[in-house]
Amino acid sequence: MKNNTIQTEMDVNNNKIKVMRINDVDYISLTDLAKYSNPENPANVIIHWMSNKGTFDYIGLWELLNNENFNFTEFSEIKIKEVGYPSFTLSPRRWIQKTNAIGIYSKGGKYSIGTFAHPDIAFEFASWLSPEFKLYLIKEFERLKKNEAYQKKIEWHANRILYKINYIVHTDAVKNYIVPMLTEKQKKFVYAE
């Protein structure tokens, strides 16, 4: 998942939340969202949420709908043998390794970036933390996407103007430097090419 990554940040109700774009898909930091609930140990909040039977079913269904390489056999085995027992815990890394999940991305270690999730999953997590916080997150994410769309519109307009100017420069160069060297018959076809 390291191809074409871009990071930005949102301010959600005075909480900095990172957003990472990987191959044109946005992933929201679950680690930053979890800091809303437990600033000292956000990883435990994520594990606690993922160990919930309802969460397990939700992220499994999301993967089934969105991931053609989802390991449904491993998912079913975990569901039958482990989910629902008091000792069941599920970490993001274990989830990714066992099921080949794409909806959650986790990178740990000394210089860890944390755990990120597709907006569908991140909004579900935020709802589990606090419905109020989820609404703030959705509004801020919508604002971010609207700004992004506006930037693309400006870029498109600027590119259009540059192409228009370059076209004029190009045709003038052809007219002034190439056309005078051609015969009358050749001049009729030069602009068509």
Side-chain angles (χ1 to χ4, degrees), residues 176-183 186-187:
N176 295 334
Y177 298 105
I178 296 175
V179 173
M181 298 176 179
L182 302 175
T183 65
Q186 291 172 325
K187 286 181 184 179

Side-chain angles (χ1 to χ4, degrees), residues 115-143:
T115 301
F116 286 76
H118 187 279
D120 295 343
I121 296 169
F123 293 154
E124 188 72 14
F125 178 61
S127 183
W128 182 76
L129 293 171
S130 159
E132 177 186 0
F133 187 63
K134 176 187 178 181
L135 289 174
Y136 285 120
L137 175 64
I138 290 171
K139 290 295 180 191
E140 186 61 24
F141 190 71
E142 287 173 348
R143 187 197 62 74

Side-chain angles (χ1 to χ4, degrees), residues 61-74:
L61 178 60
W62 188 93
E63 292 291 342
L64 190 62
L65 295 173
N66 296 287
N67 181 0
E68 62 187 38
N69 296 318
F70 180 58
N71 188 340
F72 186 75
T73 305
E74 191 66 37

Side-chain angles (χ1 to χ4, degrees), residues 23-174:
N23 297 328
D24 292 327
V25 179
D26 290 321
Y27 287 79
I28 299 170
S29 174
L30 294 185
T31 305
D32 292 344
L33 293 175
K35 287 177 183 175
Y36 172 79
S37 175
N38 184 347
E40 276 74 53
N41 202 345
N44 280 351
V45 176
I46 297 168
I47 291 170
H48 184 71
W49 174 71
M50 290 186 72
S51 301
N52 179 309
K53 182 185 181 325
T55 301
F56 184 82
D57 290 340
Y58 179 83
I59 59 178
L61 178 60
W62 188 93
E63 292 291 342
L64 190 62
L65 295 173
N66 296 287
N67 181 0
E68 62 187 38
N69 296 318
F70 180 58
N71 188 340
F72 186 75
T73 305
E74 191 66 37
F75 168 77
S76 298
E77 191 172 311
I78 294 169
K79 187 173 183 172
I80 292 168
K81 293 181 179 178
E82 298 180 47
V83 175
Y85 289 98
S87 61
F88 174 64
T89 57
L90 183 65
S91 69
R93 280 207 201 133
R94 179 174 179 228
W95 172 250
I96 294 163
Q97 289 169 350
K98 293 281 188 180
T99 65
N100 197 28
I102 61 169
I104 295 176
Y105 175 76
S106 186
K107 180 88 168 139
K110 186 176 180 181
Y111 303 104
S112 70
I113 62 168
T115 301
F116 286 76
H118 187 279
D120 295 343
I121 296 169
F123 293 154
E124 188 72 14
F125 178 61
S127 183
W128 182 76
L129 293 171
S130 159
E132 177 186 0
F133 187 63
K134 176 187 178 181
L135 289 174
Y136 285 120
L137 175 64
I138 290 171
K139 290 295 180 191
E140 186 61 24
F141 190 71
E142 287 173 348
R143 187 197 62 74
L144 178 73
K145 298 311 278 176
K146 195 180 288 184
N147 285 348
E148 194 175 280
Y150 181 71
Q151 288 297 330
K152 285 182 181 178
K153 187 176 179 181
I154 290 172
E155 288 173 20
W156 177 84
H157 186 64
N159 286 340
R160 188 170 168 259
I161 290 170
L162 285 173
Y163 286 132
K164 183 179 178 182
I165 292 168
N166 283 337
Y167 177 78
I168 293 168
V169 169
H170 180 78
T171 55
D172 286 350
V174 169

